[in-house]
Amino acid sequence: MGSLEHKYDPTFTERVIAATGPKASPRTREIIGPLLRHLHDFAREVNLTVDEWMAGVELVNWAGQMSNDKRNEGQLLCDVLGLESLVDEITFSAAAHAKDAHTATAILGPFFRKDAPHYPNGGSIIKTMPADGQVTYMHGRCVDSVTGEGIPGVVIDVWEDSTNGLYEQQDPDQEDCNLRGRFTTDEEGRYSWYCLKPTPYPIPYDGPAGKVLQLLDRHPFRPAHIHLITTHPEYMPITTQIFDDSGPYLTDDSVFAVKDSLLVHFKPRENDPKASLEVEYNFKLKKQPSQLEQGDEVTGI
Amino acid sequence: MGSLEHKYDPTFTERVIAATGPKASPRTREIIGPLLRHLHDFAREVNLTVDEWMAGVELVNWAGQMSNDKRNEGQLLCDVLGLESLVDEITFSAAAHAKDAHTATAILGPFFRKDAPHYPNGGSIIKTMPADGQVTYMHGRCVDSVTGEGIPGVVIDVWEDSTNGLYEQQDPDQEDCNLRGRFTTDEEGRYSWYCLKPTPYPIPYDGPAGKVLQLLDRHPFRPAHIHLITTHPEYMPITTQIFDDSGPYLTDDSVFAVKDSLLVHFKPRENDPKASLEVEYNFKLKKQPSQLEQGDEVTGI
């Protein structure tokens, strides 16, 4: 770094950091120094030109312009650079290494909707059945990571793509809220639903994230997966994905989200006229810290 | 870095970099490694959480959504972080330290327009005269940085704010293209025009750049300045700003663009009924490298 700083004004970055006023929050002060040092060191290390920087600005502005309530291109841009997976690891790593670890987490992705319909256990999230779909009975339990006891009343959000690789909000041929729903665990912590075996798909390729993949000579595909979120007033929420262990792209996911503990096996289902496959997945949930501790964790840049 | 990497998956960043395909351009490959290492190291160093990262994504999307042909909020966001001034220094530093150095450069800023009207020397760029405006006769020469000879035919773009601190495209009360114009140097390399003494102003404060300044407890003001661009087929273009040496914010410019060599003094003007002040500024221009060398420099991320 020494030689890089001497090539250009060696005081510049520290002057920009020092412009921060006394009323900036402690967390903002903690973040701004490393942010500016890494941003500026990056520019100096690669001798970033005005034209290259402006190409970056235009890429970022384009991301905002493409984003709306159904699409978050700024997020997708971070995803292809591995940043969402990394902050997911950072946020949940302390919990994940504890003895009473909860289920591993994975990125939210840009296709979650807060308004998915609520179904009873054993219900189906399939509203538009594709000709080549493989109906799967998915079931399992939510248990306390310490006691191992089933947890009633856990709400599980589930969403997935159809066999054409599209989520319902990307595809006018799918009924609204197709392949997404919310279920609540029963007295023993059990849940069950019918869904489709998920399909690998390319992330949207027509925006800045696609442009970055092209520039990097990378493919846009994600391995087949099902998105899940668990919520319960007394337990830490979990956002995760489970991956079909038989499919492609497990080692070269375009958004770097696969973890070994999230691989599941879809096996043939016997004696069920409604489904040809089944998959089991069990969640370990960890108790919430007290309300007071929680409040301390809430920060924003 | 070692300890930081061991706290989290130590192979993650290098795996993301290694995903880059063989057809990525040499310059893209040169940029992507440092970009990802600095981006990821920043997140690990500050233990960036999912919520903080998402606040950043929303800030960036907001920048794109606010940007249009009259406003570039992505650029402004970079400006308050010192990045535009830094890439300006990087791009022009080799030239600036040479013996035959051209005039120092400064950032373009977001208010340039390509379609400014062309005026003859001695003309005025004032189309809407504010009651408290101080008309200034600005003049000078463009000379070759090696021979010192005047250069005819240099086109100079000039633009500045009015006394309310607004550029014409920000202010419905100013006539279209008020306080901007293009002039061409005469046989001896001379130019002259009437303009206003510029006024310090806050950069737009209603978007993400303003939000960042608030979070950092920084003021949004820029010192009074006049923007200038010189272009000539045989000479390297120069984008710069000159600063009123008597005004405030010279040491705490919100976008870090002031350089000592760009300070000018506005002095009283005698015997000119059209202007009460005058300022002189001379440009040193450097010959273009050959077309071939130029072609090699053109890169994009």
Side-chain angles (χ1 to χ4, degrees):
Chain A
M1 301 292 149
S3 63
L4 285 167
E5 291 200 359
H6 285 293
K7 186 170 169 188
Y8 304 117
D9 174 358
T11 68
F12 183 73
T13 300
E14 294 307 315
R15 278 195 289 126
V16 177
I17 295 169
T20 307
K23 290 179 199 147
S25 78
R27 180 58 176 159
T28 300
R29 299 182 73 84
E30 211 166 77
I31 286 174
I32 194 65
L35 176 68
L36 289 171
R37 283 186 200 104
H38 281 296
L39 182 68
H40 291 189
D41 281 348
F42 158 67
R44 284 184 284 251
E45 247 173 78
V46 304
N47 294 310
L48 195 69
T49 68
V50 169
D51 289 348
E52 289 166 344
W53 160 73
M54 188 48 82
V57 166
E58 279 162 15
L59 198 84
V60 162
N61 281 338
W62 182 21
Q65 281 149 7
M66 280 196 102
S67 296
N68 53 40
D69 61 343
K70 290 191 172 175
R71 177 166 188 174
N72 189 331
E73 191 72 20
Q75 177 175 2
L76 203 60
L77 205 47
C78 293
D79 290 358
V80 300
L81 299 178
L83 188 60
E84 185 173 4
S85 276
L86 180 60
V87 294
D88 173 69
E89 185 196 6
I90 290 170
T91 307
F92 301 104
S93 94
H97 291 104
K99 270 188 190 168
D100 56 344
H102 60 55
T103 293
T105 58
I107 65 176
L108 177 66
F111 300 112
F112 174 63
R113 279 178 62 173
K114 286 179 184 161
D115 58 348
H118 210 293
Y119 296 112
N121 281 306
S124 173
I125 61 171
I126 308 167
K127 297 173 88 172
T128 307
M129 180 65 199
D132 55 349
Q134 290 179 277
V135 179
T136 300
Y137 178 72
M138 177 163 172
H139 62 104
R141 281 182 89 200
C142 291
V143 301
D144 184 292
S145 63
V146 175
T147 68
E149 281 176 27
I151 311 167
V154 178
V155 175
I156 306 177
D157 260 280
V158 53
W159 69 105
E160 61 174 351
D161 65 336
S162 189
T163 53
N164 61 359
L166 296 174
Y167 290 84
E168 51 91 11
Q169 69 264 66
Q170 301 176 283
D171 182 2
D173 294 334
Q174 291 179 48
E175 206 176 313
D176 189 52
C177 284
N178 185 42
L179 300 175
R180 66 177 72 235
R182 318 180 88 187
F183 295 81
T184 304
T185 55
D186 67 15
E187 291 297 297
E188 291 176 315
R190 296 190 182 281
Y191 75 88
S192 60
W193 59 66
Y194 291 92
C195 59
L196 290 183
K197 183 171 187 242
T199 302
Y201 63 84
I203 61 166
Y205 207 56
D206 56 338
K211 176 76 182 169
V212 166
L213 290 177
Q214 282 175 309
L215 286 166
L216 295 176
D217 185 27
R218 279 170 43 189
H219 71 73
F221 281 89
R222 298 219 55 213
H225 60 276
I226 298 174
H227 290 271
L228 300 156
I229 294 179
T230 66
T231 45
H232 185 286
E234 290 165 32
Y235 288 85
M236 308 268 282
I238 290 174
T239 300
T240 196
Q241 300 176 23
I242 56 171
F243 297 89
D244 169 10
D245 71 356
S246 71
Y249 310 117
L250 290 170
T251 57
D252 57 346
D253 180 4
S254 60
V255 304
F256 308 97
V258 181
K259 295 174 185 173
D260 287 345
S261 68
L262 299 173
L263 299 184
V264 294
H265 188 65
F266 288 75
K267 60 181 185 183
R269 178 158 171 87
E270 313 286 331
N271 305 320
D272 183 345
K274 289 195 272 184
S276 59
L277 296 172
E278 78 170 79
V279 70
E280 180 176 2
Y281 190 70
N282 299 305
F283 296 88
K284 283 186 187 171
L285 303 188
K286 200 171 164 179
K287 275 264 168 82
Q288 291 268 17
S290 78
Q291 292 275 335
L292 202 67
E293 286 167 333
Q294 237 196 314
D296 290 341
E297 281 170 23
V298 177
T299 53
I301 84 157
Chain B
M1 300 291 149
S3 64
L4 284 167
E5 292 200 359
H6 285 293
K7 186 171 169 188
Y8 304 117
D9 174 357
T11 68
F12 183 71
T13 300
E14 295 307 315
R15 277 195 290 126
V16 177
I17 295 170
T20 308
K23 289 179 200 147
S25 78
R27 180 59 176 159
T28 299
R29 298 183 74 84
E30 212 167 77
I31 286 174
I32 194 65
L35 176 69
L36 290 171
R37 283 187 200 105
H38 281 296
L39 182 68
H40 291 189
D41 281 347
F42 158 68
R44 285 185 285 249
E45 246 172 81
V46 303
N47 294 310
L48 195 71
T49 68
V50 169
D51 290 348
E52 289 167 342
W53 161 73
M54 188 48 83
V57 166
E58 280 162 15
L59 197 84
V60 162
N61 281 338
W62 183 19
Q65 281 149 8
M66 281 195 102
S67 297
N68 54 41
D69 61 344
K70 291 192 174 177
R71 177 166 187 173
N72 189 333
E73 191 72 20
Q75 177 174 4
L76 203 60
L77 206 48
C78 294
D79 289 358
V80 301
L81 299 178
L83 188 59
E84 186 174 4
S85 276
L86 180 60
V87 294
D88 172 69
E89 184 195 6
I90 291 169
T91 307
F92 300 104
S93 94
H97 291 103
K99 271 187 192 169
D100 55 345
H102 60 53
T103 293
T105 58
I107 65 176
L108 177 66
F111 299 112
F112 174 62
R113 280 177 63 174
K114 286 179 184 162
D115 57 349
H118 211 291
Y119 296 112
N121 280 307
S124 172
I125 61 172
I126 308 167
K127 297 174 87 170
T128 306
M129 180 65 200
D132 55 349
Q134 290 178 278
V135 179
T136 301
Y137 178 72
M138 177 163 173
H139 62 105
R141 281 182 89 201
C142 292
V143 301
D144 184 292
S145 64
V146 174
T147 67
E149 281 175 28
I151 311 167
V154 178
V155 175
I156 306 177
D157 260 280
V158 54
W159 69 106
E160 61 174 351
D161 65 335
S162 189
T163 53
N164 61 359
L166 297 174
Y167 290 85
E168 51 92 11
Q169 70 264 64
Q170 300 176 284
D171 182 1
D173 294 334
Q174 291 179 48
E175 205 175 313
D176 189 51
C177 283
N178 185 42
L179 300 175
R180 66 177 71 236
R182 317 181 87 187
F183 295 82
T184 304
T185 55
D186 67 14
E187 291 297 298
E188 291 177 314
R190 296 190 182 281
Y191 74 89
S192 61
W193 59 65
Y194 289 93
C195 60
L196 290 182
K197 184 171 187 244
T199 302
Y201 64 84
I203 60 166
Y205 206 56
D206 57 337
K211 176 76 181 171
V212 167
L213 290 177
Q214 282 176 308
L215 286 167
L216 295 175
D217 185 27
R218 279 170 43 189
H219 72 73
F221 282 89
R222 299 218 54 211
H225 61 277
I226 298 175
H227 289 272
L228 299 158
I229 293 178
T230 66
T231 44
H232 185 285
E234 290 165 32
Y235 287 85
M236 307 269 282
I238 290 174
T239 300
T240 195
Q241 301 176 23
I242 55 171
F243 297 89
D244 170 10
D245 70 357
S246 70
Y249 310 118
L250 289 170
T251 57
D252 57 346
D253 180 5
S254 61
V255 304
F256 309 96
V258 180
K259 295 175 186 173
D260 288 343
S261 68
L262 298 174
L263 300 184
V264 293
H265 188 64
F266 288 75
K267 60 181 185 183
R269 178 158 171 88
E270 314 285 333
N271 305 321
D272 184 346
K274 290 194 270 183
S276 59
L277 295 171
E278 78 169 79
V279 69
E280 180 177 1
Y281 190 71
N282 299 306
F283 296 87
K284 283 186 189 171
L285 304 188
K286 201 171 164 180
K287 274 264 168 83
Q288 291 268 17
S290 77
Q291 292 276 333
L292 201 67
E293 286 167 335
Q294 238 196 314
D296 290 339
E297 280 170 22
V298 177
T299 54
I301 84 156

